[in-house]
Amino acid sequence: PSGKVLVAYFSHSGNTREVARQISEATGGDLFEIVPATPYPTEYRAVVDQGKKEIEAGVRPALKNPVGDLSQYDVIFVGSPCWWATIAPPVATFLTCDLAGKTVVPFMTHEGSGMRHSEADIRKLCPRSTVPDGLAVRGSAVRNSKNEVGRWVRARLKNGF
């Protein structure tokens, strides 16, 4: 389904970028990196503190790159690290674009928390989209997750999500 699948992701440490690349490879989909206009700090504690404050306040940070026309895509995989049990704020900003009628498939990287309430939060942000259950990949396992990710993607595509 090349040209009909978009893999949009925000990655702070590189783990979510790697899973996005694996999904793009498995689907032939286009990649779109969600980049905040103001970069997050690189120091771990600082980014954790900022992420928590933004999530608690419902902040939707401006994005560096415009999302553009998504009309050609039927399926949009959306990836994020799991921050404070949900998606990172730049992903929430991305999800405010018009995704009505599209299938929005979440994937998350984490260090033990799994999906937590990110799927429910995405469903709230995309009420006119189909949001199936997503995939959670432990950050420390990302480099060795290509087979698992490929199986998950193929099963989703075969079963129509």
Side-chain angles (χ1 to χ4, degrees):
S2 190
K4 296 185 77 178
V5 173
L6 178 67
V7 183
Y9 68 94
F10 166 73
S11 188
H12 185 259
S13 68
N15 289 334
T16 309
R17 177 181 297 113
E18 175 58 22
V19 176
R21 193 193 63 70
Q22 292 171 8
I23 292 171
S24 173
E25 194 176 287
T27 61
D30 297 332
L31 278 172
F32 177 79
E33 184 172 9
I34 300 166
V35 180
T38 303
Y40 283 93
T42 52
E43 197 272 313
Y44 179 76
R45 177 75 1 226
V47 76
V48 166
D49 291 345
Q50 182 176 334
K52 182 178 186 185
K53 285 179 188 144
E54 288 181 354
I55 288 165
E56 288 174 346
V59 170
R60 302 284 180 264
L63 301 182
K64 185 175 179 181
N65 311 323
V67 173
D69 179 18
L70 299 178
S71 63
Q72 66 189 344
Y73 300 107
D74 298 320
V75 177
I76 300 175
F77 288 85
V78 177
S80 176
C82 189
W83 283 7
W84 300 101
T86 191
I87 54 176
V91 176
T93 301
F94 172 83
L95 291 172
T96 61
C97 64
D98 183 14
L99 299 174
K102 305 204 180 288
T103 300
V104 177
V105 188
F107 64 97
M108 304 288 283
T109 55
H110 66 95
E111 284 306 334
S113 60
M115 298 296 283
R116 296 293 299 271
H117 52 79
S118 56
E119 292 156 323
D121 292 343
I122 291 170
R123 288 181 183 113
K124 283 181 204 149
L125 288 166
C126 303
R128 295 170 42 225
S129 303
T130 300
V131 182
D133 290 343
L135 174 70
V137 179
R138 187 178 284 271
S140 57
V142 162
R143 300 274 175 246
N144 300 313
S145 64
K146 185 176 177 185
N147 290 339
E148 174 196 353
V149 169
R151 272 193 304 275
W152 176 76
V153 168
R154 284 189 296 280
R156 288 289 193 216
L157 293 173
K158 180 180 165 201
N159 297 325
F161 299 91

